[in-house]
Amino acid sequence: MKIALTIAGSDSGGGAGIQADLKTFQQFGVFGTSVIVALTAQNTRGVRAVEAVPEAMVAAQLTAIAEDLPPAALKTGMLAEASLVRLVAKAIRENGWQPLVVDPVMVSTSGHRLLTAEAEDVIRESLLPLAALVTPNLDEAAVLTGRAVHDLGTMERAGETLLTFGAAAALVKGGHLSPEGETLTDVLVTPAGVRHFSHPRIATTSTHGTGCTLSAAVTAGLALGQPLEMAVEDALDFVHRAIAGAPGLGGGHGPLDHTVTAPPPPPR
């Protein structure tokens, strides 16, 4: 069984963060390990409190994983503070962990800030050069590139800019585009070119944890040996069906259905 590692924050509501990542890994048939860098008190209505885990404890978790359970692929999610981003990036470099999926979590679905402004620069400088894939939404892509991102053309240009920062590929997510359209398009930019992935838009408030789930699904696919484009395609399909099957829990932005069936793994 392949191992996939998530380095992220914990979500007490169970819909995003470490909890969503581990549920997703399970569905894809990979063994999930975790390094928790922040604790959140949250539910579907919003985030009540955030507390970063002490650096020494984050370092101890990273060392424990490196000594006994090295991952076949890994992802980062909410990293909270600049010092923690530097610590995580250093561990990834020193352990030679790859491929890495970077989900640059900055703001929660409910609008609560989950990353300091200083840490945004450190993600750009320290993590992106290590990334096999970075998966920003429109707002995150705008922060990382310093440009407005509001349509397919600017999504493509943002992806190209992220590649110049060192990322091997970028998936710019279109979920925050104007909701009037019936189709949702995500843009994958690689050195080989640009590919659009389109799905029918689902009218729902059950969108909590979509970014975490997507990046975890891509990570699982990469851990299983899938080529990047196939891992992205399967992950987007998984998330689309998880949104469609959302159980309608909570009074705010509800969680996805992480029990939907994952695509079959590639033949060995």
Side-chain angles (χ1 to χ4, degrees):
M1 179 176 279
K2 299 296 185 180
I3 297 173
L5 167 64
T6 171
I7 306 172
S10 174
D11 172 10
S12 58
I18 292 285
Q19 286 83 346
D21 294 342
L22 294 177
K23 292 173 187 178
T24 302
F25 290 164
Q26 185 79 14
Q27 288 305 101
F28 276 77
V30 300
F31 184 81
T33 58
S34 63
V35 171
I36 300 175
V37 301
L39 305 177
T40 69
Q42 63 176 299
N43 52 32
T44 68
R45 296 179 186 273
V47 179
R48 293 172 176 265
V50 176
E51 185 166 339
V53 173
E55 288 184 40
M57 185 59 189
V58 174
Q61 293 176 78
L62 290 163
T63 299
I65 294 297
E67 288 177 346
D68 191 45
L69 295 163
L74 71 156
K75 63 155 284 188
T76 58
M78 173 190 175
L79 296 178
E81 298 177 353
S83 60
L84 292 174
V85 179
R86 292 189 186 97
L87 175 62
V88 167
K90 181 173 183 285
I92 292 171
R93 284 195 310 272
E94 291 181 349
N95 289 298
W97 287 337
Q98 57 178 319
L100 167 67
V101 176
V102 174
D103 181 11
V105 176
M106 297 178 181
V107 179
S108 71
T109 303
S110 59
H112 191 100
R113 189 169 186 86
L114 300 176
L115 187 75
T116 65
E118 181 189 0
E120 293 167 358
D121 294 333
V122 181
I123 284 179
R124 186 187 304 109
E125 297 161 6
S126 299
L127 269 187
L128 291 191
L130 305 175
L133 180 70
V134 58
T135 63
N137 61 30
L138 301 186
D139 294 335
E140 292 159 352
V143 169
L144 289 172
T145 64
R147 302 177 180 178
V149 184
H150 53 79
D151 58 19
L152 291 178
T154 53
M155 289 168 71
E156 292 181 3
R157 289 192 286 277
E160 291 164 354
T161 299
L162 292 169
L163 265 61
T164 69
F165 293 156
L171 179 67
V172 183
K173 300 174 293 189
H176 291 182
L177 285 177
S178 174
E180 283 82 22
E182 296 182 358
T183 301
L184 185 155
T185 300
D186 302 293
V187 176
L188 176 66
V189 181
T190 70
V194 176
R195 180 175 174 185
H196 291 183
F197 295 89
S198 296
H199 290 285
R201 184 183 293 275
I202 299 171
T204 181
T205 57
S206 295
T207 56
H208 182 57
T210 51
C212 303
T213 302
L214 176 63
S215 56
V218 174
T219 303
L222 295 176
L224 291 168
Q226 289 184 336
L228 178 66
E229 284 199 28
M230 181 184 295
V232 168
E233 185 172 13
D234 283 354
L236 288 168
D237 172 68
F238 178 80
V239 170
H240 183 76
R241 290 183 290 109
I243 293 173
L249 303 178
H253 292 283
L256 316 185
D257 178 8
H258 289 99
T259 69
V260 296
T261 304
R268 295 184 179 182

